[in-house]
Amino acid sequence: MQEEKYNDYTIQSNAYQDEETDKWVPQAKILRADQNEEEYPLTWEREFDTREEAESFAMQSAQFYIENHF
């Protein structure tokens, strides 16, 4: 799992391995800095060969989401 502060948010990116394809699926959680109890989970229907690729994609995509939705 990777964690990074971005603007007024904390992003936690992670990935899990799909049992059928053995590929890695990215997911992320966005936490507001001023309200640790409020979180925004994000998932994508993309798969990657490595966990690192999936987590990196999740981190970049969560940053993009923050820029465009908050």
Coordinates of all heavy atoms in Angstrom, one line a residue:
M1 N 0.8 -1.2 0.0 CA 0.0 0.0 0.0 C 0.9 1.2 0.0 O 1.9 1.3 0.7 CB -0.9 0.0 1.2 CG -1.8 1.2 1.2 SD -3.0 1.3 2.6 CE -2.0 1.9 3.9
Q2 N 0.5 2.2 -0.8 CA 1.2 3.5 -0.8 C 0.2 4.6 -0.2 O -1.0 4.5 -0.3 CB 1.5 3.9 -2.2 CG 2.4 3.0 -3.0 CD 2.6 3.5 -4.4 OE1 2.2 4.6 -4.8 NE2 3.2 2.6 -5.2
E3 N 0.8 5.5 0.5 CA 0.0 6.6 1.1 C 0.7 7.9 0.8 O 2.0 8.0 0.9 CB -0.1 6.4 2.6 CG -1.0 7.5 3.2 CD -1.4 7.2 4.7 OE1 -2.0 6.1 4.9 OE2 -1.0 8.0 5.5
E4 N 0.0 8.9 0.4 CA 0.5 10.2 0.0 C -0.5 11.3 0.3 O -1.7 11.1 0.1 CB 0.8 10.2 -1.5 CG 1.4 11.4 -2.1 CD 1.7 11.3 -3.5 OE1 2.4 10.3 -3.9 OE2 1.2 12.2 -4.3
K5 N 0.1 12.4 0.8 CA -0.7 13.6 1.0 C -0.8 14.3 -0.3 O 0.2 14.5 -1.0 CB -0.1 14.6 2.0 CG 0.1 13.9 3.4 CD -1.1 14.0 4.2 CE -0.8 13.5 5.6 NZ -1.9 12.9 6.3
Y6 N -2.0 14.8 -0.7 CA -2.2 15.5 -1.9 C -3.3 16.6 -1.7 O -4.4 16.3 -1.4 CB -2.6 14.5 -3.0 CG -2.7 15.2 -4.4 CD1 -1.5 15.4 -5.1 CD2 -3.9 15.5 -5.0 CE1 -1.5 15.9 -6.4 CE2 -3.9 16.1 -6.2 CZ -2.7 16.3 -6.9 OH -2.7 16.9 -8.2
N7 N -2.8 17.8 -1.9 CA -3.7 19.0 -1.6 C -4.2 18.8 -0.1 O -3.4 18.7 0.8 CB -4.8 19.1 -2.6 CG -4.3 19.5 -4.0 OD1 -3.2 19.9 -4.1 ND2 -5.1 19.3 -5.0
D8 N -5.5 18.8 0.1 CA -6.0 18.7 1.5 C -6.5 17.3 1.7 O -7.4 17.1 2.6 CB -7.1 19.7 1.7 CG -6.6 21.1 1.8 OD1 -5.5 21.3 2.1 OD2 -7.4 22.0 1.4
Y9 N -5.9 16.3 1.0 CA -6.4 14.9 1.1 C -5.3 14.0 1.3 O -4.1 14.3 1.1 CB -7.2 14.5 -0.2 CG -8.4 15.4 -0.4 CD1 -8.3 16.6 -1.1 CD2 -9.6 15.0 0.1 CE1 -9.4 17.4 -1.4 CE2 -10.7 15.8 -0.2 CZ -10.6 17.0 -0.9 OH -11.7 17.8 -1.1
T10 N -5.6 12.8 1.9 CA -4.6 11.7 1.9 C -5.1 10.6 1.0 O -6.3 10.2 1.0 CB -4.6 11.1 3.4 OG1 -4.1 12.2 4.2 CG2 -3.6 9.9 3.4
I11 N -4.2 10.1 0.1 CA -4.6 9.0 -0.8 C -3.9 7.8 -0.3 O -2.7 7.8 -0.1 CB -4.1 9.4 -2.2 CG1 -4.8 10.7 -2.7 CG2 -4.5 8.2 -3.1 CD1 -4.2 11.2 -4.0
Q12 N -4.7 6.7 -0.2 CA -4.1 5.4 0.1 C -4.4 4.5 -1.1 O -5.5 4.2 -1.4 CB -4.8 4.8 1.3 CG -4.5 5.5 2.6 CD -5.3 5.0 3.8 OE1 -6.3 4.3 3.6 NE2 -4.8 5.3 5.0
S13 N -3.3 4.2 -1.8 CA -3.5 3.3 -3.0 C -3.1 1.9 -2.7 O -2.2 1.7 -1.9 CB -2.7 3.9 -4.2 OG -1.3 3.7 -4.0
N14 N -3.8 1.0 -3.3 CA -3.6 -0.4 -3.0 C -3.9 -1.2 -4.3 O -4.4 -0.7 -5.2 CB -4.4 -0.9 -1.8 CG -3.7 -2.1 -1.1 OD1 -2.8 -2.7 -1.6 ND2 -4.2 -2.4 0.1
A15 N -3.7 -2.5 -4.2 CA -4.1 -3.4 -5.3 C -4.4 -4.8 -4.8 O -3.8 -5.2 -3.8 CB -3.0 -3.4 -6.4
Y16 N -5.2 -5.5 -5.4 CA -5.4 -6.9 -5.1 C -5.3 -7.7 -6.3 O -5.5 -7.3 -7.4 CB -6.8 -7.1 -4.4 CG -8.0 -6.8 -5.3 CD1 -8.5 -7.9 -6.1 CD2 -8.6 -5.6 -5.4 CE1 -9.6 -7.7 -6.9 CE2 -9.7 -5.4 -6.3 CZ -10.2 -6.4 -7.0 OH -11.2 -6.2 -7.8
Q17 N -4.9 -9.0 -6.1 CA -4.7 -9.9 -7.2 C -6.0 -10.7 -7.5 O -6.6 -11.3 -6.6 CB -3.6 -10.9 -6.9 CG -3.1 -11.6 -8.1 CD -1.7 -12.3 -7.8 OE1 -1.4 -12.5 -6.7 NE2 -1.0 -12.5 -8.9
D18 N -6.4 -10.6 -8.8 CA -7.6 -11.3 -9.2 C -7.3 -12.8 -9.3 O -6.3 -13.2 -9.9 CB -8.0 -10.8 -10.6 CG -9.3 -11.4 -11.1 OD1 -9.3 -12.6 -11.5 OD2 -10.3 -10.7 -11.1
E19 N -8.1 -13.6 -8.7 CA -7.8 -15.0 -8.6 C -7.9 -15.7 -9.9 O -7.2 -16.7 -10.2 CB -8.8 -15.7 -7.6 CG -8.5 -15.3 -6.1 CD -9.5 -15.9 -5.2 OE1 -10.2 -16.9 -5.5 OE2 -9.5 -15.5 -4.0
E20 N -8.8 -15.2 -10.8 CA -9.0 -15.9 -12.1 C -7.9 -15.5 -13.1 O -7.4 -16.4 -13.9 CB -10.3 -15.5 -12.7 CG -11.5 -16.0 -11.9 CD -12.8 -15.6 -12.5 OE1 -12.9 -15.2 -13.7 OE2 -13.8 -15.8 -11.8
T21 N -7.4 -14.3 -13.1 CA -6.5 -13.8 -14.1 C -5.0 -13.7 -13.6 O -4.1 -13.5 -14.4 CB -6.9 -12.5 -14.7 OG1 -6.8 -11.5 -13.7 CG2 -8.3 -12.5 -15.3
D22 N -4.9 -13.7 -12.3 CA -3.6 -13.4 -11.6 C -3.1 -12.0 -11.9 O -1.9 -11.8 -11.7 CB -2.5 -14.5 -12.0 CG -2.8 -15.8 -11.3 OD1 -3.4 -15.8 -10.2 OD2 -2.4 -16.9 -11.9
K23 N -3.9 -11.2 -12.4 CA -3.5 -9.8 -12.6 C -3.8 -8.9 -11.4 O -4.6 -9.3 -10.5 CB -4.2 -9.2 -13.8 CG -4.0 -10.0 -15.1 CD -2.8 -9.4 -15.8 CE -2.6 -10.1 -17.2 NZ -1.6 -9.5 -18.0
W24 N -3.2 -7.7 -11.3 CA -3.5 -6.8 -10.2 C -4.5 -5.8 -10.5 O -4.4 -5.1 -11.6 CB -2.1 -6.2 -9.8 CG -1.2 -7.3 -9.2 CD1 -0.3 -8.0 -9.8 CD2 -1.2 -7.7 -7.8 NE1 0.3 -8.9 -8.9 CE2 -0.2 -8.7 -7.7 CE3 -1.9 -7.3 -6.7 CZ2 0.1 -9.3 -6.5 CZ3 -1.6 -7.9 -5.5 CH2 -0.6 -8.9 -5.4
V25 N -5.4 -5.6 -9.6 CA -6.5 -4.6 -9.8 C -6.3 -3.4 -8.9 O -6.2 -3.6 -7.7 CB -7.9 -5.3 -9.6 CG1 -9.0 -4.3 -9.8 CG2 -8.1 -6.5 -10.5
P26 N -6.2 -2.2 -9.4 CA -6.0 -1.0 -8.6 C -7.2 -0.6 -7.8 O -8.4 -0.7 -8.3 CB -5.6 0.1 -9.6 CG -6.3 -0.3 -10.8 CD -6.3 -1.8 -10.8
Q27 N -7.0 0.0 -6.6 CA -8.0 0.6 -5.8 C -7.4 1.7 -5.0 O -6.2 1.6 -4.7 CB -8.8 -0.4 -5.0 CG -7.9 -1.2 -4.0 CD -8.6 -2.3 -3.3 OE1 -9.7 -2.7 -3.7 NE2 -8.1 -2.9 -2.3
A28 N -8.2 2.6 -4.6 CA -7.7 3.7 -3.8 C -8.7 4.2 -2.8 O -9.9 4.0 -3.0 CB -7.2 4.9 -4.6
K29 N -8.3 4.9 -1.8 CA -9.2 5.5 -0.8 C -8.7 6.9 -0.6 O -7.5 7.2 -0.4 CB -9.1 4.8 0.5 CG -10.2 5.2 1.5 CD -10.1 4.4 2.8 CE -9.5 3.1 2.8 NZ -9.4 2.5 4.2
I30 N -9.6 7.9 -0.7 CA -9.3 9.3 -0.5 C -9.9 9.7 0.8 O -11.1 9.5 1.1 CB -9.9 10.2 -1.7 CG1 -9.3 9.8 -3.0 CG2 -9.6 11.6 -1.4 CD1 -9.9 10.5 -4.2
L31 N -9.1 10.3 1.7 CA -9.5 10.7 3.0 C -9.3 12.2 3.0 O -8.3 12.8 2.6 CB -8.7 10.1 4.1 CG -8.6 8.6 4.1 CD1 -7.5 8.1 4.9 CD2 -9.9 8.0 4.6
R32 N -10.3 12.9 3.5 CA -10.2 14.4 3.7 C -9.4 14.7 4.9 O -9.5 14.0 6.0 CB -11.6 15.0 3.9 CG -12.4 15.0 2.6 CD -13.7 15.7 2.8 NE -13.4 17.1 3.3 CZ -14.3 18.1 3.1 NH1 -15.4 17.9 2.6 NH2 -14.0 19.3 3.5
A33 N -8.5 15.6 4.8 CA -7.5 15.9 5.9 C -8.3 16.4 7.1 O -7.9 16.1 8.3 CB -6.5 16.9 5.4
D34 N -9.4 17.1 6.9 CA -10.1 17.7 8.1 C -11.1 16.8 8.6 O -11.7 17.1 9.7 CB -10.7 19.1 7.7 CG -11.7 18.9 6.6 OD1 -11.7 17.9 5.9 OD2 -12.5 19.9 6.4
Q35 N -11.4 15.7 8.0 CA -12.4 14.7 8.4 C -12.0 13.3 8.2 O -12.3 12.7 7.1 CB -13.8 15.0 7.7 CG -14.4 16.3 8.0 CD -15.6 16.5 7.1 OE1 -15.9 15.8 6.2 NE2 -16.4 17.5 7.5
N36 N -11.2 12.7 9.1 CA -10.6 11.4 8.8 C -11.7 10.3 8.7 O -11.4 9.3 8.2 CB -9.7 11.0 9.9 CG -8.3 11.8 9.8 OD1 -8.0 12.3 8.7 ND2 -7.6 11.9 10.9
E37 N -12.9 10.6 9.2 CA -13.9 9.6 9.1 C -14.6 9.5 7.8 O -15.2 8.5 7.4 CB -15.0 9.9 10.2 CG -14.4 9.8 11.6 CD -15.3 10.4 12.7 OE1 -16.4 10.8 12.4 OE2 -14.8 10.4 13.8
E38 N -14.5 10.6 7.0 CA -15.1 10.6 5.6 C -14.1 10.1 4.6 O -13.1 10.7 4.5 CB -15.6 12.0 5.3 CG -16.5 12.0 4.0 CD -17.2 13.3 3.8 OE1 -17.0 14.2 4.7 OE2 -17.9 13.4 2.9
E39 N -14.5 9.1 3.9 CA -13.6 8.5 2.9 C -14.3 8.3 1.6 O -15.5 8.1 1.6 CB -12.9 7.3 3.4 CG -13.8 6.2 3.8 CD -13.1 5.0 4.3 OE1 -12.3 5.1 5.3 OE2 -13.2 3.9 3.8
Y40 N -13.5 8.3 0.5 CA -14.1 8.1 -0.8 C -13.3 6.9 -1.4 O -12.2 7.1 -1.9 CB -13.9 9.4 -1.6 CG -14.5 10.6 -1.0 CD1 -13.8 11.4 -0.2 CD2 -15.9 10.9 -1.3 CE1 -14.3 12.5 0.4 CE2 -16.4 12.1 -0.7 CZ -15.7 12.8 0.2 OH -16.2 14.0 0.8
P41 N -13.9 5.8 -1.6 CA -13.3 4.6 -2.2 C -13.4 4.7 -3.7 O -14.4 5.2 -4.3 CB -14.0 3.4 -1.6 CG -15.4 4.0 -1.3 CD -15.2 5.4 -1.0
L42 N -12.3 4.3 -4.4 CA -12.3 4.3 -5.8 C -11.8 2.9 -6.3 O -10.9 2.4 -5.7 CB -11.3 5.4 -6.4 CG -11.5 6.8 -6.0 CD1 -10.4 7.7 -6.4 CD2 -12.8 7.3 -6.6
T43 N -12.4 2.4 -7.3 CA -11.9 1.2 -8.0 C -12.0 1.4 -9.5 O -12.7 2.2 -10.0 CB -12.8 0.0 -7.5 OG1 -14.2 0.2 -7.9 CG2 -12.7 -0.3 -6.1
W44 N -11.2 0.6 -10.2 CA -11.2 0.6 -11.6 C -11.3 -0.8 -12.2 O -10.9 -1.8 -11.5 CB -9.9 1.3 -12.1 CG -9.8 2.7 -11.7 CD1 -10.2 3.8 -12.4 CD2 -9.2 3.2 -10.5 NE1 -9.9 4.9 -11.7 CE2 -9.3 4.6 -10.5 CE3 -8.6 2.6 -9.3 CZ2 -8.9 5.4 -9.5 CZ3 -8.2 3.4 -8.3 CH2 -8.3 4.8 -8.4
E45 N -11.8 -0.9 -13.4 CA -11.9 -2.2 -14.0 C -10.7 -2.4 -15.0 O -10.8 -2.9 -16.1 CB -13.2 -2.3 -14.8 CG -14.4 -2.3 -13.9 CD -15.7 -2.5 -14.6 OE1 -15.6 -2.9 -15.8 OE2 -16.7 -2.3 -14.0
R46 N -9.5 -2.1 -14.5 CA -8.3 -2.3 -15.2 C -7.4 -3.3 -14.5 O -7.6 -3.4 -13.3 CB -7.5 -1.0 -15.4 CG -8.2 0.0 -16.2 CD -7.3 1.1 -16.7 NE -6.2 0.6 -17.4 CZ -5.2 1.3 -17.9 NH1 -5.3 2.6 -17.7 NH2 -4.1 0.8 -18.5
E47 N -6.6 -4.0 -15.2 CA -5.7 -5.0 -14.6 C -4.3 -4.7 -15.1 O -4.1 -4.3 -16.2 CB -6.1 -6.4 -15.0 CG -7.5 -6.8 -14.4 CD -7.9 -8.2 -14.7 OE1 -7.5 -8.7 -15.8 OE2 -8.6 -8.8 -13.9
F48 N -3.3 -5.0 -14.2 CA -1.9 -4.8 -14.4 C -1.1 -6.1 -14.1 O -1.6 -6.9 -13.3 CB -1.4 -3.6 -13.6 CG -2.0 -2.3 -14.0 CD1 -3.3 -1.9 -13.4 CD2 -1.4 -1.5 -14.9 CE1 -3.8 -0.7 -13.8 CE2 -2.0 -0.3 -15.3 CZ -3.2 0.1 -14.7
D49 N 0.0 -6.2 -14.7 CA 0.9 -7.3 -14.5 C 1.5 -7.4 -13.1 O 1.8 -8.4 -12.6 CB 2.0 -7.4 -15.6 CG 1.4 -7.8 -17.0 OD1 0.4 -8.4 -17.0 OD2 2.0 -7.3 -18.0
T50 N 1.8 -6.2 -12.6 CA 2.4 -6.1 -11.3 C 1.6 -5.2 -10.3 O 0.9 -4.3 -10.7 CB 3.9 -5.5 -11.4 OG1 3.8 -4.1 -11.7 CG2 4.7 -6.3 -12.4
R51 N 1.8 -5.5 -9.1 CA 1.2 -4.7 -8.0 C 1.6 -3.3 -8.0 O 0.8 -2.4 -7.9 CB 1.5 -5.4 -6.6 CG 0.9 -4.6 -5.5 CD 1.3 -5.2 -4.1 NE 0.3 -4.7 -3.2 CZ -0.3 -5.4 -2.3 NH1 -0.2 -6.7 -2.2 NH2 -1.2 -4.8 -1.5
E52 N 2.9 -3.1 -8.3 CA 3.5 -1.7 -8.3 C 2.8 -0.9 -9.4 O 2.5 0.3 -9.2 CB 5.0 -1.7 -8.6 CG 5.8 -2.3 -7.4 CD 5.7 -3.8 -7.3 OE1 5.4 -4.5 -8.3 OE2 6.0 -4.4 -6.2
E53 N 2.6 -1.5 -10.6 CA 1.9 -0.7 -11.7 C 0.5 -0.4 -11.3 O 0.0 0.7 -11.6 CB 1.9 -1.6 -13.0 CG 3.2 -1.8 -13.6 CD 3.1 -2.8 -14.8 OE1 2.5 -3.8 -14.6 OE2 3.7 -2.5 -15.9
A54 N -0.2 -1.3 -10.7 CA -1.6 -1.1 -10.3 C -1.7 0.0 -9.2 O -2.5 0.9 -9.3 CB -2.2 -2.4 -9.8
E55 N -0.8 0.0 -8.2 CA -0.8 1.0 -7.2 C -0.4 2.4 -7.7 O -1.0 3.4 -7.3 CB 0.1 0.6 -6.0 CG -0.4 -0.5 -5.2 CD 0.4 -0.9 -4.0 OE1 1.5 -0.3 -3.8 OE2 0.0 -1.8 -3.3
S56 N 0.5 2.4 -8.6 CA 0.9 3.7 -9.2 C -0.2 4.3 -10.0 O -0.5 5.5 -9.9 CB 2.1 3.5 -10.1 OG 2.5 4.7 -10.8
F57 N -0.9 3.4 -10.8 CA -2.1 3.9 -11.5 C -3.2 4.4 -10.6 O -3.8 5.5 -10.8 CB -2.7 2.7 -12.4 CG -4.0 3.1 -13.0 CD1 -4.0 3.7 -14.3 CD2 -5.2 2.8 -12.4 CE1 -5.2 4.0 -14.9 CE2 -6.4 3.1 -13.0 CZ -6.4 3.7 -14.3
A58 N -3.4 3.7 -9.5 CA -4.4 4.1 -8.5 C -4.1 5.5 -7.9 O -4.9 6.4 -7.7 CB -4.6 3.1 -7.4
M59 N -2.8 5.7 -7.6 CA -2.3 7.0 -7.0 C -2.5 8.1 -8.0 O -3.1 9.2 -7.7 CB -0.9 6.9 -6.6 CG -0.3 8.1 -5.9 SD -1.1 8.5 -4.3 CE -0.5 7.2 -3.3
Q60 N -2.1 7.9 -9.2 CA -2.2 9.0 -10.2 C -3.7 9.3 -10.6 O -4.1 10.4 -10.7 CB -1.5 8.6 -11.5 CG 0.0 8.6 -11.4 CD 0.7 8.0 -12.6 OE1 0.1 7.5 -13.5 NE2 2.0 8.1 -12.6
S61 N -4.5 8.2 -10.6 CA -5.9 8.4 -10.9 C -6.7 9.1 -9.8 O -7.6 9.9 -10.0 CB -6.6 7.0 -11.2 OG -6.0 6.5 -12.4
A62 N -6.3 8.8 -8.6 CA -6.9 9.4 -7.4 C -6.5 10.9 -7.4 O -7.4 11.8 -7.0 CB -6.5 8.8 -6.1
Q63 N -5.3 11.3 -7.7 CA -4.9 12.7 -7.8 C -5.8 13.4 -8.9 O -6.3 14.5 -8.6 CB -3.4 12.8 -8.1 CG -2.5 12.4 -7.0 CD -1.1 12.3 -7.4 OE1 -0.7 12.4 -8.6 NE2 -0.2 12.1 -6.5
F64 N -5.9 12.8 -10.0 CA -6.8 13.3 -11.1 C -8.2 13.5 -10.6 O -8.8 14.5 -10.8 CB -6.7 12.4 -12.3 CG -7.5 12.9 -13.5 CD1 -7.0 13.9 -14.3 CD2 -8.8 12.4 -13.7 CE1 -7.8 14.4 -15.4 CE2 -9.5 12.8 -14.8 CZ -9.0 13.8 -15.6
Y65 N -8.7 12.5 -9.9 CA -10.1 12.6 -9.3 C -10.2 13.8 -8.4 O -11.2 14.5 -8.5 CB -10.4 11.3 -8.6 CG -11.8 11.2 -8.2 CD1 -12.8 10.7 -9.0 CD2 -12.2 11.6 -6.9 CE1 -14.2 10.6 -8.6 CE2 -13.6 11.6 -6.5 CZ -14.5 11.1 -7.4 OH -15.8 11.0 -7.0
I66 N -9.3 14.0 -7.5 CA -9.3 15.1 -6.6 C -9.3 16.4 -7.3 O -10.1 17.3 -7.0 CB -8.1 15.0 -5.6 CG1 -8.3 13.9 -4.6 CG2 -7.9 16.4 -4.8 CD1 -7.0 13.6 -3.8
E67 N -8.5 16.6 -8.3 CA -8.4 17.8 -9.1 C -9.7 18.1 -9.8 O -10.0 19.3 -10.0 CB -7.3 17.7 -10.1 CG -5.9 17.7 -9.5 CD -4.8 17.4 -10.5 OE1 -5.1 17.2 -11.7 OE2 -3.6 17.3 -10.0
N68 N -10.4 17.1 -10.2 CA -11.6 17.3 -11.0 C -13.0 17.2 -10.3 O -14.0 17.6 -10.8 CB -11.6 16.4 -12.2 CG -10.6 16.7 -13.2 OD1 -10.7 17.7 -13.9 ND2 -9.5 16.0 -13.2
H69 N -12.9 16.7 -9.0 CA -14.2 16.6 -8.3 C -14.3 17.3 -7.0 O -15.3 17.3 -6.4 CB -14.5 15.1 -8.1 CG -14.8 14.4 -9.4 ND1 -13.8 13.8 -10.1 CD2 -15.9 14.2 -10.1 CE1 -14.4 13.2 -11.2 NE2 -15.6 13.5 -11.2
F70 N -13.2 17.8 -6.5 CA -13.2 18.5 -5.2 C -12.8 19.9 -5.3 O -12.0 20.3 -6.1 CB -12.4 17.7 -4.1 CG -12.8 16.3 -3.8 CD1 -12.0 15.3 -4.2 CD2 -14.0 16.1 -3.2 CE1 -12.4 14.0 -3.9 CE2 -14.5 14.8 -2.9 CZ -13.6 13.7 -3.3

